Amino acid sequence: QVQLVESGGGLVQPGGSLTLSCAVSGSIASIYGVNWYRQAPGKQRELVAMIDYPGNTKVADFVKGRFTISRDNAQRTVNLHMNNLNPEDTAVYYCNAQGDGDQDYWGQGTQVTVSS
């Protein structure tokens, strides 16, 4: 089993920055990728960024140049760094991990609100 706990969400003004953190615990050795998703009210959940076991990263086109994803192995966290936020980035952000045997794990989500 893998446990994921997100933190770092909150209210930020347009143009501001936030860093979300996903703390990973449990059977970490079974994980081969960690992703950040988001879901805005009335919209489908969408993939924002991903990092695989070797450390390769990818971000969605709609956040490219503003968001980056990184991993801190010592802290066992996967972080989503968000810059130049705009109201369209308002959503609940979820951490997701994929592991052996097609296991799929989710955190509880953290709310990000971009508003003046």
Side-chain angles (χ1 to χ4, degrees):
Q1 286 290 326
V2 172
Q3 294 78 43
L4 307 172
V5 179
E6 302 99 332
S7 62
L11 174 65
V12 62
Q13 292 187 340
S17 300
L18 276 178
T19 293
L20 305 182
S21 184
C22 175
V24 184
S25 61
S27 302
I28 296 175
S30 69
I31 297 172
Y32 53 79
V34 176
N35 312 300
W36 279 99
Y37 284 80
R38 71 184 185 185
Q39 187 166 19
K43 295 187 176 181
Q44 289 190 333
R45 192 171 295 188
E46 57 186 2
L47 178 63
V48 177
M50 58 191 302
I51 185 166
D52 65 12
Y53 181 79
N56 301 304
T57 63
K58 186 175 182 179
V59 296
D61 287 342
F62 55 81
V63 298
K64 194 166 290 184
R66 299 190 298 122
F67 290 15
T68 58
I69 186 171
S70 67
R71 183 175 67 202
D72 186 328
N73 292 330
Q75 296 293 325
R76 295 185 177 180
T77 59
V78 174
N79 304 308
L80 183 66
H81 309 278
M82 307 185 294
N83 298 310
N84 195 21
L85 287 159
N86 59 61
E88 290 69 41
D89 296 315
T90 295
V92 179
Y93 284 72
Y94 296 92
C95 183
N96 162 259
Q98 296 172 312
D100 294 341
D102 292 329
Q103 292 294 311
D104 207 27
Y105 305 96
W106 292 89
Q108 81 288 351
T110 185
Q111 175 71 47
V112 172
T113 303
V114 185
S115 175
S116 55

